[in-house]
Amino acid sequence: MERTTTASPADFLDRALVEESAKKSGLLWVQPAGQPHARPLWHAWHDGAVIVVGDGAEQPLHGLAAGTTATLTVRSKDKGGRLVTFPATVTAVAPGTPAWDGAVEELKGKRLNAPDTDTIGDRWARECRILRLEPAGPLAPHPDGALTATPVPTPATTRKPIPAGLPKLLFKKKQKR
């Protein structure tokens, strides 16, 4: 007898949370498996997965490669706080396929200040990679701690006494003529 797995209502709610948060956020943090730090990437949500374009003249995709996994953290667009963290499998989208065309259309709308909006798909096909990061597994629990790190020691400083005349310049009242 063949065993079938059924998804629980919690699985559907988790999937909906991932999709909705990824659609509304313009930035997510991606930590490829084996990498010590997460990096911010702009993205789009398309056909059930996060899609990113990078390398070439676009954002660097350090450590992301087809066949690997990554941990994605989606942030709130308005407050910038962590919404959800989940594992994802990484696959490459091949140029010239229907999946490529759909991904380019979604990403093109999210790409700000592109120098070549009309021919961006051709440039991406020549120079860049489009990767599909599909959710794979349960959501990660929210961390208990603050996740803050101690700053790296440095002799650099930005604190100096303000010039004596600065308050007069800033708070000078306009004289009536």
Side-chain angles (χ1 to χ4, degrees):
M1 187 151 99
E2 191 174 314
R3 186 176 174 193
T4 60
T5 59
T6 58
S8 71
D11 294 337
F12 289 117
L13 292 175
D14 288 351
R15 182 68 179 205
L17 175 63
V18 166
E19 181 175 348
E20 202 58 32
S21 60
K23 281 181 180 179
K24 293 190 186 234
S25 179
L27 182 74
L28 54 82
W29 291 85
V30 178
Q31 182 176 5
Q35 298 286 324
H37 302 290
R39 296 182 182 270
L41 297 175
W42 65 271
H43 70 285
W45 180 266
H46 177 67
D47 199 25
V50 169
I51 50 173
V52 295
V53 61
D55 297 336
E58 298 295 335
Q59 61 192 347
L61 299 177
H62 301 294
L64 279 178
T68 63
T69 59
T71 301
L72 280 60
T73 301
V74 182
R75 68 178 187 93
S76 168
K77 191 172 189 172
D78 58 348
K79 302 288 185 191
R82 173 192 310 248
L83 289 177
V84 65
T85 300
F86 60 95
T89 56
V90 182
T91 55
V93 180
T97 62
W100 174 274
D101 296 337
V104 166
E105 285 304 312
E106 277 299 319
L107 288 165
K108 188 167 46 171
K110 300 278 185 170
R111 174 63 166 92
L112 302 177
N113 304 322
D116 55 350
T117 307
D118 297 334
T119 60
I120 200 165
D122 297 333
R123 180 172 59 84
W124 285 349
R126 283 189 317 272
E127 302 173 2
C128 301
R129 297 182 295 150
I130 292 181
L131 298 177
R132 177 180 163 84
L133 292 83
E134 187 169 354
L139 301 181
H142 281 285
D144 292 332
L147 298 180
T148 57
T150 305
V152 178
T154 177
T157 181
T158 57
R159 183 73 179 152
K160 293 182 181 179
I162 61 170
L166 186 61
K168 289 180 184 175
L169 290 172
L170 293 176
F171 302 112
K172 179 172 77 172
K173 293 183 180 179
K174 293 184 180 182
Q175 297 178 358
K176 295 182 181 179
R177 292 186 184 197

